[in-house]
């Protein structure tokens, strides 16, 4: 069987899954597959030849088994297979379950979703030369350093040398001090130490040290922390290159020593998030707006950087909380890249219904703890209900309102999220996004209680919670594509939920802090200075270069508050709400006025009500504006104002009249005038002589 150009191989795992080949074929055909399905029974052993035949050629292959993925990948390498090789788990997710005979639509959906192409993810590089700091408080740190000395460049830093017997041979350098500040990552740690001192070679019964000094600075590639004190970094388990085992547990210490010894060379990890500073709503002109990513990052990988933020990809642990809570989509989760997750979500839910399933419940889990939990339920319990369709993500905390809106818009009846133990202190951001989705569902009449957090560690408790998901009707599923950025995706899902709502509300009130809403302006006090337009990071506030006018596009507003914080008159207020009317997509006028015309040249400038109000308040009342000329200059454009100022008698910049430039043309004209004058005088003289001679005669 083929689906989207991929060859599909299915195995019932030695008949431990009650798979019906004909039903599964029909279910897959409903999702666009073609050809007959060959149901294997022992694909990884007795029928391995079927796999070897399938990987011949260039076509990609999808194997419905993840347990034996290493074996299949090894054989593909040996055969030099050219086609892409992927795997999907249908056994623990569907086939090993009490309701396995009803799980055919789910199996078809899992196969269809796994056939979707996944966009590649960029990587981040590390380079470690093996410079290691062993930080401890007793002889155990020295012993760990000795074990590492053969493969790493090791230095020991003890919080105190009191009572520690000096080693017979100083085969590792030993210092004393307490780390007061640490930053960095694998291959690039930097520490600041107080009480720093090197061990004296004359130490006899216990280690003695030179005179200590504070604020000593050092760099290293790796840190092995055996102090048992508070960790040097928040969420230290995600800090690559920093290992902090319990010093009282020898097994964990030995495992850490083994792990740190292998951290030499060049390494890569995914670049978990992408960042677009152009649409970041953090700040403008030193006015703070949105701090969501800064407040929720558990490893302090995000720091303010002027009007935007800086994300250190080498420190980032990949929890995705920044992408979850970002209102504009400036931060996006990049594992997988692009819209791959949302396209797979759409395929999963639509394929489930197309294959004959009813209303699906979506189970969101990670690839580590969540997959282990599902495996435990399938092996020792009832497994997943037939209506519960699992979707694996890198971190469950990476999803936000856009994911919830799309999942519910594509027809998910409920969304259950398996919370791993490592994330139970990081749920504030996820909870805020869940609350937004629940508010929308309640307000539109779909009913709340759609999204559930499951944090139990007992597989039986998780299983019970999944079988007890509240009954109800899912929203009529949409077929829209998850196009655009976060904001666009979110509105696509929310508008569909509004269109199919039992009781649609055109304007739905939202809680404070929601990234949707309107901006209200007190027109009577607004001077149309338009400072808010320059501060708006999303282009929700607009101006017109030809007239005093302030416009607003509600669908673009994320309620960051920068406009209100920037407004010098404090006349802007925010109104969190969801506006489903067409007016939210178009630009509306918040305030406008006529321009004032210059009293000297008639050029329009400024805002007429503002200039009139200012002149009324200052004329004859302020000492600087007792003169009518100064008031008149306030009613002139900038060019005329300068000319009038220079023409004024009391201006300190006034100078003598500029002398007229004497040109060649002027010289010619003056010569002509002189010549004409000489002719006139000569003529008069001639006439005078003639009259004198007549009188003589």
């Amino acid at each position: 069987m083929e689906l989207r150009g991929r060859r599909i191989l299915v195995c019932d795992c030695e008949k431990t899954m009650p798979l019906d080949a004909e039903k599964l074929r029909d279910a897959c055909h409903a999702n666009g597959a073609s050809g007959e399905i060959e149901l294997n029974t022992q694909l990884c052993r007795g029928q391995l030849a079927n796999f070897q035949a399938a990987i011949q050629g260039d076509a990609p292959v999808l194997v419905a088994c993840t347990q034996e993925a290493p074996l299949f990948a090894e054989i593909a390498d040996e055969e030099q297979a050219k086609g892409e090789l992927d795997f999907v788990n249908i056994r623990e997710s569907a086939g090993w379950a009490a309701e396995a005979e009803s799980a055919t639509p789910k199996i078809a959906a899992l196969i269809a979703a796994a056939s979707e192409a996944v966009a590649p993810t960029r990587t981040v590089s590390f380079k470690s030369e093996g410079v290691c700091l062993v930080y401890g408080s007793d002889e155990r740190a020295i012993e760990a350093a000795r074990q590492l000395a053969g493969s790493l460049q090791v230095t020991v830093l003890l919080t105190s040398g009191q009572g520690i017997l000096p080693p017979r041979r100083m085969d590792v350098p030993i210092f004393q001090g307490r780390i007061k500040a640490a930053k960095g990552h694998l291959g690039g740690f930097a520490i600041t130490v107080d009480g720093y001192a090197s061990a004296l070679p004359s130490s006899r019964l216990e280690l003695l040290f030179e005179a200590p000094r504070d604020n000593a600075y050092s760099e290293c590639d790796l840190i092995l922390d055996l102090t048992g004190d508070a960790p040097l970094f928040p969420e230290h388990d995600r800090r690559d290159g920093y290992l902090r085992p319990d010093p009282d547990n020898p097994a964990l210490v030995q495992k850490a020593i083994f792990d740190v010894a292998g951290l030499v060379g060049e390494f890569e990890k995914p670049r978990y998030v992408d960042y677009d500073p152009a649409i970041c709503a953090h700040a403008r002109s030193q006015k703070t707006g949105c701090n969501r990513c800064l407040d929720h990052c558990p490893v302090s990988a995000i720091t303010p950087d002027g009007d935007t933020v800086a994300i250190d990809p080498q420190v980032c642990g990949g929890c995705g909380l920044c992408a979850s809570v970002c209102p504009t989509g400036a931060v996006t989760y990049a594992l997988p890249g692009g819209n791959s997750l949302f396209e797979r979500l759409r395929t999963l839910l639509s394929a489930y219904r197309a294959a004959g399933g009813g209303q699906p419940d979506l189970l969101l889990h990670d690839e580590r703890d969540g997959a282990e939990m599902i495996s435990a339920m399938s092996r020792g319990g009832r497994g997943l209900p037939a209506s519960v369709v699992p979707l694996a993500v890198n971190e469950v905390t990476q999803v936000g309102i856009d994911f919830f809106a799309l999942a519910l818009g594509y027809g998910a009846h409920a969304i259950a999220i398996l919370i791993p133990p490592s994330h139970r202190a990081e749920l504030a951001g996820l909870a805020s996004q869940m609350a937004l989705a629940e508010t929308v569902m309640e307000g539109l009449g779909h009913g709340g209680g759609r999204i559930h957090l499951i944090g139990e560690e007992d597989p039986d408790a998780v299983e019970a919670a999944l079988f007890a998901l509240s009954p109800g009707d899912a929203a009529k599923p949409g077929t829209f594509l998850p196009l655009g950025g976060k904001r666009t995706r979110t509105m696509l899902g929310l508008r569909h939920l509004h269109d199919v709502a039992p009781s649609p509300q055109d304007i739905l009130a939202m809680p404070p802090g929601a990234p949707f809403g309107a901006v209200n302006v007190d027109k009577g006090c607004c001077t149309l200075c338009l400072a808010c337009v320059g501060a708006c990071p999303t282009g929700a506030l607009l101006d017109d270069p030809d007239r005093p006018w302030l416009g607003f596009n509600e669908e673009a507003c994320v309620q960051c508050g920068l406009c209100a914080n920037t407004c010098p008159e404090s006349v802007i207020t925010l109104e969190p709400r969801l506006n489903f009317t067409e007016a939210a997509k178009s630009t509306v006028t918040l305030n406008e006025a006529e321009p004032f015309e210059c009293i000297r040249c008639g050029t329009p400038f400024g805002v007429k009500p503002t200039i009139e109000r200012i002149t009324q308040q200052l004329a004859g009342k302020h000492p600087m504006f007792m003169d009518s000329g100064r008031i008149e200059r306030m009613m002139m454009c900038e060019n005329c104002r300068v000319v009038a100022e220079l023409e004024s008698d009391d201006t300190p910049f006034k100078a003598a009249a500029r002398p007229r430039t004497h040109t060649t043309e002027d010289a010619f004209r003056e010569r002509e005038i002189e010549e004409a004058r000489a002719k006139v005088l000569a003529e008069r003289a001639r006439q005078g002589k003639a009259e004198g001679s007549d009188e003589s005669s």
Side-chain angles (χ1 to χ4, degrees), residues 241-317:
Y242 176 70
L243 292 85
R244 182 180 170 272
D246 181 358
D248 296 325
N249 189 325
L252 292 180
V253 172
Q254 287 301 314
K255 182 180 183 303
I257 291 173
F258 177 80
D259 291 340
V260 77
L263 294 178
V264 180
E266 295 186 3
F267 304 89
E268 288 185 345
K269 75 172 184 179
R271 183 182 290 269
Y272 294 109
V273 296
D274 289 331
Y275 175 60
D276 181 4
I279 57 174
C280 179
H282 170 57
R284 288 294 186 276
S285 302
Q286 298 182 345
K287 299 289 186 180
T288 302
C290 176
N291 276 332
R292 290 177 176 89
C293 61
L294 292 165
D295 294 339
H296 288 90
C297 181
V299 297
S300 300
I302 308 177
T303 54
D305 186 20
D307 287 346
T308 59
V309 298
I311 302 178
D312 190 337
Q314 294 176 307
V315 174
C316 175

Side-chain angles (χ1 to χ4, degrees), residues 137-144 158 163-165:
S137 58
D138 52 31
E139 292 90 344
R140 292 175 294 187
I142 300 175
E143 178 57 32
L158 299 173
I164 298 179
L165 184 67

Side-chain angles (χ1 to χ4, degrees), residues 44-78:
C44 60
R45 297 294 186 270
Q47 295 173 302
L48 193 58
N50 292 342
F51 171 75
Q52 292 174 313
I55 61 176
Q56 302 302 317
D58 298 332
V61 176
L62 176 64
V63 181
C65 174
T66 54
Q67 174 180 287
E68 299 298 327
L71 172 64
F72 291 127
E74 181 181 350
I75 294 174
D77 287 340
E78 293 177 354

